[in-house]
Structure formats: C-alpha cells, structure tokens
Amino acid sequence: MPPRSEEPRRDAMGSRRGSSRDGRGTDPRSGEPGVGGISDARAYTPRGRTIREGGGTARTGVGGAEQRRTPRGGRSGDPFRPALQVLDGGRSGAAGTGRREAPAGARGGVVRTVSARPVREPFDDDEVPPGRRPGPRRPERPAARRPVRKKRRPPKLADPRRRLRLGTLLALALFTTIGIRLVYLQTVDTPAFADGGLVNRLTVVELPAPRGTIYDRTGAPLAHSIEARYVYADPPKVKDRVATAKLLSPLLGVPASDLADRMKERTLPGTSIKSRFEYLARGVPIDKAKQIMALELAGIGTHRDERREVPGGDLAANLLGFVSQDMIGLEGLEAKYDDLLRGQPGRKRYESGRGDLAAPIPGGFSETTPPKPGSSLALTLDRDLQFQAQRILSTQMAQTRNSVGAAVILEPSSGEVLAQVSYPGYSTAAPTKVNSPADREDAATSFVVDPGSIHKAITYGAALQEGVITPDTVFPVANTITRGGVVFKDTHPANGQRMSIPGMLAFSSNVGTIEIAEKLGPDRLIDYQKRFGLGQRTGEGMPGEAAGRLLPANEWSGSSYGSVPIGHSVDATPLQMAAAYAAIANDGTYVQPHLVKATIDPEGKQTPAAAPRTWPVLSPQNATALRRMLEAVTTIDNGPGERATGLAAAVPGYRVAGKTGTGSRYVDGKLQPGAVGSFIGMAPAEKPRYVVAVFVWSPGGEGSALAAPAFREIMGFTLHHYRVPPSATDKSPKFEVFPR
C-alpha cells in the first residue's frame, strides 16, 4: 500500500508542521526537522488563542492585512517571552517590544506585534520562504469576537517612610505607657507592692536585753548577767544526729542521748510544719561556742544569749534565788523584782534572702528596736558578812543531821539586813540538785516556829511599859504553875525564893513570866505582840514571807494563859523575832527590816528605796532598862545551879544582851520531833550596833546547844568587821538572882 501522503497540518496556533511519526515538525525556513515547533510556538498566545487573517469586521493593518489582538495583548509583556527567546536562539528578540509593520503590498506573511507580542500570519504559496515546504492553505474562518477585558492597574505600593513613622510612634507610645506605669508603681503603689511579699522575706532577730545586776551594799556584784551563746539545731539539716550528739555532749555537758532526741525531726503542735529550731543548750560560754562552731556540724548553730552568774556560787543563794534559761526570775529576789531586773528585749527586722543568700538585702527594709537593759538592785547585804555568817552556821549545823538553820544580822537604827543565812543552802548554778525544794527556801522568812523563851523579852517589855513591873521588882517564884490543867515548870527551880527580874530572864523562869503576864492581861499582851511586829509580814522584800499567827484573846483556852506569855501558841519567823529585838536595841522604836537599799537605772542613776516604816513600842528608858536586864542572860555565873542560860553566847570584850529560847516546830499543823533552839542578842549592850538572831531546828533537840555558840562567832566577826570598839568592862552591871 503506497504511503499515505503527508499533508501539512496546522496546530492550534495556526502554524504548519509535518506529521512525521515521531510527532516532530520541520523548520518552515530551512525545511529541517524542528525540535517540537519552537518557532511555531512564538505564535502561541495564552489560553491557546491565535491571530488569523480574514475579512469581516476584524481590524486591518497596513496593506489590508487583517489582524486581531489577543485578549492579553494590552499587557506590558508576555510571561513566556524570556523562555521562548532562550529556546529560539534569540531570534524573537529582534522584534523588540515595539510595534512592527510589514512592507506595503505584501499579501501575507506579515508579522505584527500587538502589545509587544509577535504574531505570525499565514503566508501565500508564492511567498513561502526558501527552505520551507508549502502546504495547502487552510480555509479561513471568520474571527470570533472576543470580549475586551478592562485593563487592571497594579496595586499601589505602600510608602515605607509612612510605615517607619507609624512604627516609631507606636514604639514611643508603648515605652511611654510603660514608663508612666513604672513611675506610678515606684511612687504611688510602692508601699502596697513592697509589703505584699515582705512577710516571706522578713527575718526577725531578737536582741536580748541585759538583766540588771544585784549588788551588795559595797557595790560588789552578787548576781549579774554575762554574754553567752545558745546552741540550737535545725533538725531537717542535721545529717547524722547520733554522731553530732556525741561530738557536742562533752562540750555542752549534756548526755548524748538527750541531744540526739532533741535533734529528731518533729512537727510544730497543731500544724504540719516541721520544726526548724530546737534548743540544745542555753548560756553556753563563748569559748565553748567557738569550739562548737569550729566543728562545722550541719544543722548546728549558735546565737547571742545571756547567762546569769553568781560569783559566790552558793553565797546568799536562798536570798537571791535563780532565773530560768529565758532569764525570768523563778525564786528569791530574782522573782520578787523580776519586772525591775528584766529589761525589754529589742528586735531587728530586715529583709533577707533564702538558702545560700540568707543575708540582709542591701537597701531592703530594715527596722531595729534597741533593747532596754533592766535596772539593778543595791541590797543592804554585806558580802563579806554574809559569807562568814554562812560559813559559821554551816559549821555548827554539821554537828547534827537533817536540821534546818537560820541566821539574821540587823542594823537596829536603820532596819537594814546585813546578812540573812539559810541552812541547808544550794548553788544557783545547779538549783535542782537539792534533796527537797524546801531546801531552797529562805529559812529566815519561811521557817515558822514557836519562838519559845525568846518571846519572854516581849512580855517583860510590855510589863515595863505598862508599869506592871520595874527593873527592881522582886517576888517569890514557885517551881511550877498550873493553867487550864497544864503544868508549867522551871528548868532552874527557885523553890519559892524571891527572884529578881534579871534573875527570871537569866534562868528563863516560866512560872515568874506567867505570873507577870497575868497582871498584864491577854489584851495588852496581844497588843504588844503586834507592836513588836508579830502576826504580820515584815515586808522585808522576800517573796513568800510568812506572816506567822497570834492567838486572839477570844480563842484563848485556860492553858493559853500559861503558854502564850512564854512563847508557845505563837507562830513567828526568825526575821520577825530579830526585828522585835532590834526595836529594843533601837531605844524602843521599831524599824521595818528591809533588804533593798536602792535601785539603779540603766544610766546608773540611783534611787533610794522607800523609807522603812517605823513606830514606837517602848520608851527609851524602858528599852534601856530591858537591855540591862537581858545582859544577865550572858553574864550571871554563880557556880553550879546558878548559871545563866546564855553564857555560851558571850562575846569577849563586849557587853551582850540577849535571850535563849527553846520552841517547837509545826509543819502543816503537825508538831515535828525535836526542838528549835535559838538565841537573839545585841551588842554592845550599852549602845547596840547590831542584832544577831540564830535559830536551829534538829530532830534530836541539839539546837539549844548550837545556837548560842553560832551567835557568839557571828556577832564577834560582825563587831570586828565594822571595827566597833570594845565595851568598858568597868561599867558592866552586877545582878542578883535572889536578893535578900
């Protein structure tokens, strides 16, 4: 079969091309096979549209050639032109971007450029360029009218300068707003915001206020505070509490088991918060605290503390008392004057960091309230006299067991207590190391006894003042007397002989004293008991002072007429009885005994204590007469059977007036075994300077044998300590016990 003639075909763009089997066309100018109709593609318009020649209403160009503008002909450029130029070897570039018209007379093959896009029109057969194979002419079709699109204008670009100005204004407005807000926060809302988290940043440190000092009459400290440290633990931070306790135990003097127990982690009562602070020791000396800090133990720290120190150890401990670890007075003068001695602690509050930055914040909140030290006390006590009296009494008391003793030294003219001793004593450094809490009591103000025969001086003083007797009174004294069915007898029987008043005192006649009291009457006797200060507290200044008790006249029984005049059925303290004898020594004027001489404020200004209360009891003449009669107690020695009861109390070189006594002790209303021996005296008797009272209770009744010797030593030291001249022996009175 003969090959089918290959007729040139037109593609969709109106160009001729061969229909070779491989689908490639030929170059219209050279007749060579093309590369897929690249030249023909130049006539391609977007969307597959072509420009054809023809008649009708199509626009015509030069030479009557019909021309049609493509729908995109009005655009500034063909988007495919760069690629076509490269692929076509640059031939299409010669056309340029302007309008090109064909020469006049040409019938075909005219190329027009519409809107810078070349459009090839079909050639006639005789105008086929060389090398191009002519083909049959395709029938012309009337050109379809295409709607003309309105030319779009490209969007107008924004002005960059306007954007810059707008951005600058926005930035300035933002920073201005922030600045105004910052100024407002720093000026107006500062307190509110600063206080908002202040609680979490606030650290409070207490600044201890030094406790006031207690001085003796010479300015020597009896008790004072010194700087110390307390050692504490932060339990959650302690790594090995057992090992830590073993290291701290020898330094703190606390058992390791106790320390380890304190380091246990525990929660605060009523909360779920873990405790971060536990005391391990208080009042630790500074050198010990430095050794502890040198160990660098985790969770262990120290801080400033205060420690109370008594230089004398047990010196006047029963008087001074002691304080707690928090420096609060618990007993004695420390408790009585706690409000005065204790200062007002200060406080420092400041903002601090946390963790490793736990230090004050520079420029942060800080407020310091300085502590106010406590005031001090100046006592009437004499440290040296207190020490010697304490030593002497302890030596005498060592001769008996389970006994109680008290000694008081008074200055009669002023009522000042120069020494006040209790036995047993204790050390304020270890107040718990006592057999009984009663051992810490001040015996002079808490030891309530039946005074016994020392009460007879009150009975004889009242009788002198009321004129019942005179210093020269003499009357017969029987060996016994019965009152209310109770028999009262004398230890030195008079056997009915006439006895002088000094003799009755020297031999402590119960019968003679009862007969004198009957003439005085119960009402007047009770009145003088009160005048001499019995039945009421002295107000010396010691806490817990006992008032004693007097038996009212309407409660007297038949035996009371015999017991009360000789010092029984009467409750009194050693201090009360010492003050009564001081009234006799002070020419009959009672002066309230007191311990506090002055108070000293933190600036060192002294304020004298309130003046003691005073009142008359006896006339000076009767007081002098009574003192002379009391001298008989320490001087009469007429051989066996006629020796006074107080010879053991005589002080060589000095005239001494005083009285011995033997009484009873009641505890909670129960009579205790044994007896209370006592001696109260004054010296020099002609013009007394000091009064000394000694009381000794012992279960075996040895008190009477101990009190007088103790008095002698204490009074002797007191007179020598204050350099009191000896008495003139040639003026000592001579007494007759049984005048003829």
Side-chain angles (χ1 to χ4, degrees):
M1 183 174 181
R4 185 179 179 179
S5 61
E6 295 182 0
E7 183 180 0
R9 293 178 301 174
R10 292 183 181 269
D11 58 9
M13 298 189 313
S15 301
R16 297 186 187 94
R17 61 179 183 178
S19 57
S20 60
R21 293 182 180 179
D22 58 0
R24 298 180 181 180
T26 57
D27 191 325
R29 287 170 293 184
S30 61
E32 298 294 327
V35 290
I38 295 303
S39 297
D40 294 342
R42 295 178 61 191
Y44 172 78
T45 59
R47 305 177 189 233
R49 300 184 181 91
T50 57
I51 298 175
R52 306 175 187 272
E53 63 178 26
T57 60
R59 293 181 183 181
T60 57
V62 178
E66 186 179 15
Q67 175 179 314
R68 177 174 296 182
R69 186 182 300 270
T70 64
R72 297 177 59 91
R75 296 192 178 180
S76 59
D78 186 354
F80 295 96
R81 179 170 297 278
L84 294 174
Q85 288 178 346
V86 172
L87 295 176
D88 201 22
R91 288 190 301 270
S92 61
T97 59
R99 180 183 300 271
R100 189 178 59 186
E101 297 181 353
R107 296 189 317 179
V110 179
V111 178
R112 289 185 59 89
T113 300
V114 181
S115 298
R117 178 179 295 113
V119 179
R120 186 177 298 276
E121 295 182 357
F123 292 93
D124 293 335
D125 292 338
D126 56 351
E127 292 180 354
V128 176
R132 185 138 190 171
R133 191 173 180 177
R137 191 171 192 151
R138 297 184 64 178
E140 295 182 357
R141 291 181 298 179
R145 190 173 185 87
R146 302 289 297 178
V148 179
R149 291 188 177 184
K150 185 177 181 180
K151 184 178 181 181
R152 292 184 179 180
R153 292 185 179 182
K156 187 176 182 181
L157 298 179
D159 189 351
R161 290 175 298 177
R162 182 179 299 174
R163 288 200 303 267
L164 181 61
R165 286 194 295 268
L166 181 59
T168 303
L169 289 175
L170 291 176
L172 290 176
L174 177 62
F175 283 107
T176 301
T177 303
I178 294 174
I180 294 174
R181 180 60 177 165
L182 289 176
V183 172
Y184 185 82
L185 292 176
Q186 292 290 331
T187 56
V188 179
D189 287 350
T190 298
F193 284 95
D195 294 342
L198 185 61
V199 176
N200 297 328
R201 301 188 304 273
L202 201 61
T203 298
V204 180
V205 177
E206 184 173 303
L207 304 177
R211 189 176 177 85
T213 302
I214 300 178
Y215 299 99
D216 80 335
R217 66 187 302 111
T218 66
L222 297 175
H224 64 102
S225 297
I226 60 175
E227 184 178 351
R229 298 289 183 269
Y230 65 75
V231 180
Y232 67 92
D234 185 351
K237 291 185 178 181
V238 177
K239 295 182 178 178
D240 188 339
R241 60 186 181 88
V242 176
T244 301
K246 290 181 179 180
L247 292 174
L248 293 177
S249 179
L251 295 174
L252 298 179
V254 180
S257 58
D258 291 349
L259 294 175
D261 183 66
R262 297 177 192 177
M263 295 181 204
K264 287 182 179 179
E265 293 191 30
R266 53 176 58 89
T267 57
L268 298 176
T271 67
S272 59
I273 302 174
K274 289 187 177 181
S275 173
R276 301 300 302 272
F277 182 92
E278 293 292 337
Y279 279 118
L280 298 182
R282 300 291 302 273
V284 178
I286 296 178
D287 57 338
K288 293 287 186 182
K290 290 182 178 179
Q291 296 180 35
I292 292 173
M293 294 307 296
L295 297 176
E296 298 182 350
L297 300 174
I300 304 299
T302 63
H303 200 272
R304 188 186 184 282
D305 198 10
E306 190 177 0
R307 179 164 60 93
R308 199 67 166 170
E309 186 176 76
V310 178
D314 62 347
L315 184 67
N318 299 71
L319 273 179
L320 300 176
F322 59 94
V323 299
S324 67
Q325 291 183 340
D326 295 324
M327 304 303 289
I328 298 175
L330 298 180
E331 288 187 8
L333 295 176
E334 295 277 18
K336 174 72 174 182
Y337 298 97
D338 183 63
D339 292 339
L340 179 71
L341 294 169
R342 184 173 53 180
Q344 298 180 7
R347 186 174 61 173
K348 182 177 182 181
R349 300 191 303 161
Y350 60 90
E351 290 183 89
S352 63
R354 292 292 181 266
D356 295 336
L357 300 177
I361 298 175
F365 171 81
S366 179
E367 179 185 66
T368 301
T369 302
K372 295 181 180 179
S375 297
S376 299
L377 286 178
L379 302 183
T380 59
L381 294 179
D382 186 315
R383 182 180 61 173
D384 295 336
L385 202 59
Q386 177 76 23
F387 174 77
Q388 287 296 334
Q390 198 165 313
R391 182 189 63 80
I392 293 169
L393 183 63
S394 298
T395 301
Q396 293 293 330
M397 299 296 294
Q399 301 178 39
T400 182
R401 300 178 63 182
N402 301 322
S403 55
V404 177
V408 179
I409 304 176
L410 283 175
E411 187 177 62
S413 60
S414 64
E416 293 181 353
V417 179
L418 303 179
Q420 191 161 303
V421 181
S422 298
Y423 182 91
Y426 72 99
S427 174
T428 55
T432 58
K433 295 182 179 180
V434 293
N435 296 327
S436 169
D439 294 345
R440 297 195 299 260
E441 295 179 356
D442 173 54
T445 57
S446 64
F447 188 41
V448 180
V449 299
D450 278 352
S453 294
I454 56 175
H455 181 272
K456 293 175 181 177
I458 295 175
T459 302
Y460 283 88
L464 282 172
Q465 188 68 21
E466 294 298 320
V468 173
I469 61 171
T470 67
D472 299 327
T473 298
V474 177
F475 59 88
V477 177
N479 292 339
T480 63
I481 189 172
T482 301
R483 292 293 182 268
V486 177
V487 178
F488 298 91
K489 61 182 180 179
D490 286 343
T491 56
H492 292 73
N495 298 320
Q497 300 182 72
R498 290 164 53 88
M499 182 177 279
S500 66
I501 299 299
M504 295 179 191
L505 288 171
F507 295 138
S508 193
S509 174
N510 291 330
V511 176
T513 304
I514 292 172
E515 290 182 356
I516 292 174
E518 285 183 343
K519 297 178 181 179
L520 186 63
D523 291 331
R524 287 194 291 181
L525 179 58
I526 294 173
D527 180 53
Y528 276 90
Q529 286 177 327
K530 293 179 180 179
R531 291 189 188 185
F532 275 104
L534 302 187
Q536 57 188 344
R537 295 178 178 86
T538 65
E540 175 202 36
M542 286 298 297
E545 180 183 4
R549 182 177 182 272
L550 298 177
L551 188 64
N554 59 1
E555 294 183 13
W556 281 31
S557 64
S559 62
S560 299
Y561 287 88
S563 61
V564 173
I566 62 176
H568 297 285
S569 299
V570 177
D571 293 337
T573 65
L575 181 62
Q576 287 174 328
M577 295 307 301
Y581 273 71
I584 299 171
N586 193 39
D587 290 336
T589 300
Y590 183 93
V591 180
Q592 178 191 14
H594 55 280
L595 278 167
V596 178
K597 190 179 185 69
T599 59
I600 307 172
D601 64 15
E603 286 72 33
K605 181 181 178 181
Q606 291 194 17
T607 303
R613 295 178 297 137
T614 63
W615 57 84
V617 181
L618 303 174
S619 67
Q621 295 80 9
N622 289 324
T624 301
L626 183 56
R627 290 199 304 268
R628 287 178 61 87
M629 293 189 292
L630 288 172
E631 284 188 68
V633 177
T634 62
T635 58
I636 294 179
D637 186 1
N638 297 329
E642 290 191 16
R643 290 178 177 171
T645 58
L647 292 178
V651 179
Y654 296 91
R655 294 169 57 183
V656 177
K659 186 68 183 74
T660 58
T662 302
S664 303
R665 183 189 182 194
Y666 289 86
V667 177
D668 297 331
K670 296 181 180 180
L671 179 65
Q672 300 299 302
V676 178
S678 58
F679 188 93
I680 304 179
M682 59 199 77
E686 65 274 16
K687 190 173 181 60
R689 294 279 303 275
Y690 307 104
V691 171
V692 174
V694 178
F695 286 71
V696 177
W697 171 80
S698 62
E702 303 91 350
S704 298
L706 301 177
F711 168 87
R712 181 183 67 243
E713 292 190 46
I714 294 174
M715 178 60 83
F717 179 83
T718 302
L719 295 171
H720 287 92
H721 178 68
Y722 290 113
R723 301 180 180 181
V724 178
S727 301
T729 57
D730 57 341
K731 295 184 179 180
S732 298
K734 302 298 181 182
F735 300 102
E736 287 185 297
V737 178
F738 302 105
R740 297 188 183 274

